[in-house]
Amino acid sequence: MINIDEIGKAFSDRFGHAPELIAQAPGRVNLIGEHTDYNGGFVLPVAIEHRIYMAVSTAGDNVLRFYSMNFQEEYRTIIKDQPLRKAVSVDWANYCIAVIEELRQTGIKIPGLEVVIQGNIPIGRGLSSSAALEICTGVSLRELLDLNIPDKELALLCQRAEHSEYVGVECGVMDQFASLLAQKERALFLDCYTLEYKTVPFPVEQAEIIIFDSGVKRELVETEYNQRREQCAEGLRLVRLALKKDIPTLRHCSPEEFESIQSLIPEPVRSRVRHVITENQRVLDSVRALEQGDMNAFGQSLNESHASLQKDYEVSCEELDTIVETAQESKYVFGARLTGAGFGGSAIAIAQPESVNEVINKVSKVYEGRYNRVLRYELTKPAPPASVLHYSIR
Ligand code: GLA
């Protein structure tokens, strides 16, 4: 557990006064709807209990000072007229700088800042620690500088920050929206085309989310994530040609339409498109199942999602498959799948709360037997979104 007082104290020790505010932002797991966000589709993430905290004050100069308690590392840079410089070999600082630079691009004047950061979101496991850091920076500065930026706009601004040269990942909108807009004990159903959303109940009495770490660490930029995006763009071009319709995104092609034209699309693009189109339908089915309290139907969709990510989208790996397949065999598990971009990272299993230990033991035994390393896991329930926790004028 992160202790807010500890962050406040670290801030005072470093800067000689209390912070003006402390904000927090969660990581996320996506229950279902993978690789659909950048195709105008549907997603259903939850915020997790693991989060990033940030103590912040304005300073009377033009220096940005960041300190990470996790990395025990400081980064300083001076605000000049030109864009901020990218931090070399202090990767975490670039997420904050990217958001600050996006705010500057909209004409907002950023003063000198003092910032202390601490978090407990495991990094590089597909739990969106980067989006949490961006959103935490965004909500802090919105409050501190009294900016009138609605939530949706702030989430989009943080997404642009992730696309920028400071980070360089062409992510969709899911992670930033989840961190800012998800709700406690609910999942966020987001239409990534219209950006309309609603929350749906997640039965915390009946189901616990186990997050398993595959142990395979891949940085998004270095993986095939951007390549999948390109394949989908090519898929959209071919679907438009085949349907003779200028549909705006793959989401606008129905499963029936896809059936009728799929033979015209060469592999692997055909399989990529099939995943996206069937996954959107599975999200809609999952939302209905949650609303009706049908956890078995919900779990079934999750299992099918994994199979589709494994075979059609080809973003799973052996370790993820081992975890997911072993979890799925348990009678205490409603469903299991990889979560996030894939290529390593995490898998989730939705399990009956009283049998969580049994499930973890079973999956650990198989995983550890096969890979000869300890299986790490986290437990979570759908948790509250980003917020400013404490605000005091100096
Ligand atoms: C990453 C991206 C998201 C989304 C997922 C895959 O987490 O940041 O925008 O595309 O991958 O669903």
Side-chain angles (χ1 to χ4, degrees), residues 33 58 121 126 137 211 245 259 279 295 309 325:
T58 51
I121 307 173
T137 308
I211 309 170
K245 264 205 292 192
E259 270 306 310
E279 183 80 349
M295 288 307 281
L309 288 160
E325 280 154 24

Side-chain angles (χ1 to χ4, degrees), residues 28 30 33-38 171-175 220 225 340-341:
R28 64 98 190 92
N30 189 16
E34 220 65 82
H35 292 279
T36 47
D37 61 352
Y38 53 83
C171 66
V173 292
M174 168 170 68
D175 307 342
L220 272 186
Y225 183 85

